[in-house]
Amino acid sequence: MPRVLFHKQGEVFSGEVAEQTNLVVRAGIRQFPYPHLTYGCGMGKCGKCACRVLAGAEHLPAPNWKETERLAGKIEDGYRLVCQLWVSHDIELAQDAPVAATAMKGA
Amino acid sequence: MPELMDPLAFRTALETAIKGKSANTSPFSIAWAQGKLSRAHLARWAENHYHYVGPFASYLGYVYGRLPEEFTEAKDFLLSNMYEEEIGGDRHTDLLIRFAESCGTTAERVKNPDNMSATTRGLQSWCYSIAMREDPIVAIAGLVVGLESQVPSIYRRQTPTLREKYGFTDQEVEFFDIHIVSDEIHGERGYQIVLAHAKTVEMQQRCLKICEIGAEMRLLYTTALYRDYVESDLPMRELDLAA
């Protein structure tokens, strides 16, 4: 089972999830990383679920068109939209404080 | 005589009630998955589907209004479900229209209720009927568990086909992508509410029955799409029904 390490505002939360898990779906049904993961539309538009991938990025597919459009220059810094990812391997993510997250393009 | 089930057994029973009548087994869904539909067929699907899913927030709005005040969590769930359908990001029906246009029809045709079949009208009416008349928890079982929770498995099967076999772009099929995420959340939360509130044998049996009927209604709707729009171009013998 993939292990997820989730950094937010100086704290680290961890949990195990089933293979092919979407973490926004998990948060939406009130399971880890709920209540720590901030998310919004779940459709790759609002950017609220954006996280920096600290480890495990090599197991993820390339950013899709929504991530490319939404995250613009942030992809090079390791940002991904968590609502667009299905996790099958261990991963370590960091989510910025809400103010920083909303500073992204178009937010 | 049925007995009161614990949450695990009740959930399994709900899943079984839906599975037997899954819309994945309809000839329309099979033809879709096999890449055998034309864009014109998919346009007719979109013109019908709009009238089934378009009012989903309205169906839930009736249930919301009839849920007792103390069912706070269930009410909040319905509210966020309605919000996500309509204004949480792009309006879901706008994405459906985008797909419809890429199939060669127009927004005007999609929105015109004269372009839905009698069976689609029946499905829409059934949704309104249970939203207005059933016990609200039973209505959630029918609308959210019985209907909405099926969507991720249907679209997970159909979306890659739309790209790979039909040649649609990512933007054109966004309607299907968003439902894989949002309907997984909605379906699962629906299960949680039904499991938490159907606490008597009678309520559990009513929820099971409505799930079965809901799945049956969706299967009926999807099968009618095949009969009404596809069969004359693509007879059953040309479908690999074992797929």
Side-chain angles (χ1 to χ4, degrees):
Chain A
M1 297 235 297
R3 181 158 194 81
V4 179
L5 280 179
F6 186 74
H7 297 249
K8 180 98 178 247
Q9 293 178 299
E11 288 190 82
V12 186
F13 309 94
S14 70
E16 283 191 337
V17 298
E19 277 197 24
Q20 282 291 98
T21 289
N22 183 299
L23 295 175
V24 166
V25 171
R26 290 263 308 187
I29 59 173
R30 310 288 187 259
Q31 293 176 4
F32 173 83
Y34 177 85
H36 314 296
L37 174 66
T38 301
Y39 67 96
C41 67
M43 56 197 288
K45 288 290 161 74
C46 72
K48 288 180 185 169
C49 65
C51 288
R52 204 154 34 94
V53 182
L54 303 179
E58 68 276 17
H59 299 301
L60 299 173
N64 66 22
W65 67 277
K66 292 179 184 177
E67 295 179 275
T68 307
E69 200 171 87
R70 181 69 208 164
L71 295 169
K74 293 274 190 178
I75 287 176
E76 293 70 31
D77 298 330
Y79 281 87
R80 300 293 301 261
L81 294 180
V82 174
C83 70
Q84 300 299 302
L85 303 178
W86 274 259
V87 174
S88 284
H89 296 87
D90 292 355
I91 193 164
E92 189 169 356
L93 301 164
Q95 188 168 44
D96 296 339
V99 175
T102 54
M104 263 179 282
K105 181 191 164 197
Chain B
M1 282 291 286
E3 291 180 356
L4 188 66
M5 289 174 269
D6 63 34
L8 192 62
F10 184 34
R11 180 175 182 129
T12 305
L14 288 165
E15 287 170 350
T16 306
I18 297 163
K19 213 177 289 173
K21 303 283 182 189
S22 166
N24 280 340
T25 62
S26 80
F28 191 87
S29 301
I30 292 168
W32 183 318
Q34 291 175 358
K36 291 182 175 170
L37 298 177
S38 67
R39 290 209 174 201
H41 295 145
L42 292 167
R44 302 293 86 76
W45 170 83
E47 288 165 2
N48 278 271
H49 207 65
Y50 179 88
H51 298 286
Y52 156 47
V53 299
F56 220 89
S58 298
Y59 310 146
L60 298 182
Y62 285 107
V63 183
Y64 180 87
R66 295 193 303 110
L67 262 174
E69 192 183 354
E70 63 272 19
F71 285 44
T72 310
E73 199 174 326
K75 289 180 84 88
D76 287 352
F77 155 69
L78 290 175
L79 206 52
S80 53
N81 193 331
M82 287 185 263
Y83 172 83
E84 285 155 18
E85 285 286 335
E86 298 295 325
I87 49 177
D90 289 340
R91 194 182 299 278
H92 289 194
T93 46
D94 287 347
L95 301 179
L96 177 59
I97 289 170
R98 188 198 296 165
F99 174 72
E101 287 171 337
S102 71
C103 295
T105 186
T106 62
E108 192 182 16
R109 268 194 64 86
V110 172
K111 290 177 183 173
N112 184 346
D114 291 344
N115 292 322
M116 72 173 128
S117 76
T119 317
T120 304
R121 206 178 288 278
L123 175 61
Q124 187 200 66
S125 303
W126 181 79
C127 291
Y128 273 123
S129 164
I130 65 164
M132 292 178 190
R133 298 176 62 184
E134 274 291 355
D135 177 285
I137 296 300
V138 177
I140 292 173
L143 291 169
V144 182
V145 175
L147 293 178
E148 204 176 10
S149 78
Q150 279 198 68
V151 173
S153 80
I154 296 170
Y155 289 175
R156 193 169 283 121
R157 186 171 144 131
Q158 291 174 337
T159 310
T161 312
L162 288 171
R163 291 195 186 94
E164 292 155 18
K165 292 190 178 170
Y166 294 97
F168 289 101
T169 66
D170 288 337
Q171 285 83 351
E172 286 167 344
V173 299
E174 190 181 0
F175 172 77
F176 303 90
D177 268 347
I178 56 150
H179 277 88
I180 291 173
V181 172
S182 64
D183 287 336
E184 267 194 43
I185 297 175
H186 297 163
E188 187 55 37
R189 281 199 210 145
Y191 269 109
Q192 288 173 352
I193 289 167
V194 171
L195 296 180
H197 293 287
K199 290 291 193 188
T200 64
V201 175
E202 193 231 339
M203 277 295 283
Q204 289 187 343
Q205 291 303 315
R206 285 174 66 187
C207 290
L208 285 172
K209 187 66 189 172
I210 204 94
C211 277
E212 203 177 296
I213 296 171
E216 208 167 31
M217 290 301 293
R218 188 167 174 137
L219 177 60
L220 175 76
Y221 153 73
T222 318
T223 302
L225 293 177
Y226 174 77
R227 301 271 183 228
D228 292 342
Y229 305 112
V230 181
E231 191 171 27
S232 58
D233 304 325
L234 182 66
M236 290 281 253
R237 64 177 177 277
E238 290 180 25
L239 291 178
D240 179 6
L241 294 174

